[in-house]
Amino acid sequence: MALKVGLILYSVRDEMAKDPIGTVEKVGKLGYKFVETCNHNAINDPGCGFGIPAQQLKDTFDRFGSKVISTHIFPLEKADLKAVVAYNHVVGNENIVNPMGQFSTYDDLMAQCEEFNRIGKALHEEGMTYLYHNHEFEYRTIRGKMIMDYLLENTDPDYMSFELDTFWTMRAGLCPMEVLKHFGKRVKLVHQKDFAWDSIQEINLIGLTPEERELAPGEIVGMNGNSSYAKNGGKHVESADEAEAEYRRRRMSSFTEIGSGIMPIQKIIDTANEYTDARYIILEQDATRMPTQIDSIIKSMEGFKKFDGIEWD
């Protein structure tokens, strides 16, 4: 069975901030039939993050034959879960994604696994699937084992699945295809971007040696609802620290549109189709050098159409 191509609205977040309904219409007109909403303002908004009533969002997508197949909710631990569920029941979505967590110690990680199971059970009882989306930092290790493996082994398959981001997996120094095989049927959604061949930041962000990959005592990775990003409604606060600003500039240089970079996307598609339960491969464009984010998702659509094993309807 072929993967259906989707789009997360994070890819057009600047456009959404200016004109949410107009942007949803543009996405529908372009032919993205499977859409993942992205709410990084969940402290204030249980919906799609841009103040659109659920029925209006559904009606708008219905006009173009598109539908919501998933949503990111951040910070999930501070969101009104009942309101999130109610909103997504109206739009017809069954997948709730935690887009990132924050990790420090083994004991904290085990407590979070219990919390993930609790949330997943609550969502399961509402007919919904709870998924965790990775970045590179979940491939750091605690006591010599990857955080991702702790999540895999200490959460109930009935209550938590994974939206595997192959870009961030590669940026942790791992092979996306091997990780897809490793997580297998626990993978229900795939996130795809491409890595720019002329990036000024290295591919591997966390090192190769056991010492480099292990979390040091007192080290914290990731982000939760206590971060300035969460409290600011999903907007990064510009840093006055020149080193931090330069790091972010270098990080942003690593993104490019689908088919324009060096990721083995055809092999990723083939592996996901063979080894996982993923139904969708979802474009997530974190940054672009193109004039607008709409231009970017158009180019990525063209890039996706060069690959086999996918479909659009």
Side-chain angles (χ1 to χ4, degrees):
M1 187 169 66
L3 290 171
K4 298 180 184 296
V5 178
L7 170 75
I8 184 170
L9 293 181
Y10 183 74
S11 305
V12 288
R13 59 196 177 279
D14 293 345
E15 307 288 337
M16 288 290 293
K18 291 183 287 188
D19 182 7
I21 288 297
T23 303
V24 167
E25 290 175 339
K26 287 178 184 177
V27 166
K29 287 176 183 177
L30 285 174
Y32 281 102
K33 301 296 184 185
F34 308 104
V35 179
E36 184 173 55
T37 60
C38 185
N39 180 359
H40 285 188
N41 187 31
I43 292 174
N44 304 306
D45 178 356
C48 69
F50 293 91
I52 306 174
Q55 192 61 53
Q56 184 181 13
L57 182 66
K58 183 180 186 303
D59 290 346
T60 303
F61 275 131
D62 283 351
R63 285 172 29 220
F64 301 98
S66 300
K67 63 179 180 179
V68 177
I69 51 90
S70 179
T71 186
H72 280 206
I73 302 293
F74 180 80
L76 187 61
E77 77 274 13
K78 290 186 179 293
D80 181 339
L81 197 61
K82 288 185 178 179
V84 168
V85 167
Y87 186 98
N88 282 279
H89 274 321
V90 173
V91 300
N93 170 48
E94 297 177 351
N95 293 307
I96 307 295
V97 181
N98 181 350
M100 72 183 106
Q102 181 171 282
F103 306 99
S104 54
T105 66
Y106 174 84
D107 289 343
D108 174 70
L109 177 55
M110 291 300 99
Q112 287 202 59
C113 287
E114 290 184 13
E115 179 67 2
F116 290 167
N117 279 326
R118 183 192 68 78
I119 293 172
K121 184 174 187 292
L123 290 172
H124 181 76
E125 290 170 353
E126 294 285 349
M128 294 189 164
T129 299
Y130 176 51
L131 303 97
Y132 185 85
H133 168 278
N134 65 281
H135 290 80
E136 82 283 359
F137 55 79
E138 290 92 350
Y139 294 101
R140 296 287 301 276
T141 62
I142 297 176
R143 299 183 180 178
K145 180 184 284 190
M146 292 188 301
I147 293 169
M148 281 290 278
D149 277 339
Y150 283 115
L151 296 179
L152 179 70
E153 296 168 9
N154 293 278
T155 56
D156 190 322
D158 289 334
Y159 298 148
M160 196 178 94
S161 299
F162 292 89
E163 178 177 63
L164 198 115
D165 190 302
T166 63
F167 176 93
W168 293 119
T169 297
M170 185 187 76
R171 304 215 61 193
L174 300 172
C175 170
M177 290 76 74
E178 292 304 315
V179 174
L180 283 166
K181 292 177 186 178
H182 176 60
F183 279 80
K185 302 300 183 181
R186 292 288 293 276
V187 178
K188 307 300 184 188
L189 298 170
V190 174
H191 258 201
Q192 191 62 52
K193 357 186 190 285
D194 210 344
F195 185 85
W197 64 270
D198 59 350
S199 171
I200 57 175
Q201 188 180 52
E202 67 275 19
I203 292 179
N204 187 333
L205 292 172
I206 67 174
L208 287 173
T209 69
E211 293 76 18
E212 288 172 323
R213 300 176 75 86
E214 180 78 3
L215 277 189
E219 187 176 3
I220 299 172
V221 294
M223 198 182 299
N224 63 17
N226 296 320
S227 64
S228 61
Y229 178 78
K231 293 175 181 177
N232 200 34
K235 295 175 182 155
H236 286 286
V237 178
E238 290 298 324
S239 175
D241 185 293
E242 290 186 9
E244 186 176 334
E246 174 61 13
Y247 176 82
R248 184 163 180 76
R249 184 183 76 86
R250 293 174 65 84
R251 189 177 177 94
M252 291 301 102
S253 77
S254 65
F255 300 99
T256 192
E257 283 66 32
I258 297 295
S260 301
I262 65 172
M263 289 197 72
I265 295 176
Q266 185 62 66
K267 290 181 180 179
I268 288 168
I269 292 169
D270 294 342
T271 305
N273 275 324
E274 183 175 357
Y275 291 94
T276 78
D277 274 349
R279 294 178 58 202
Y280 302 95
I281 184 166
I282 300 169
L283 168 65
E284 182 181 39
Q285 191 70 38
D286 291 48
T288 182
R289 304 177 206 175
M290 299 194 73
T292 72
Q293 291 172 348
I294 296 296
D295 293 323
S296 175
I297 66 171
I298 290 172
K299 185 173 181 180
S300 281
M301 176 179 273
E302 294 167 353
F304 260 126
K305 288 179 178 178
K306 298 175 185 176
F307 299 116
D308 298 320
I310 59 173
E311 57 189 27
W312 296 88
D313 296 306

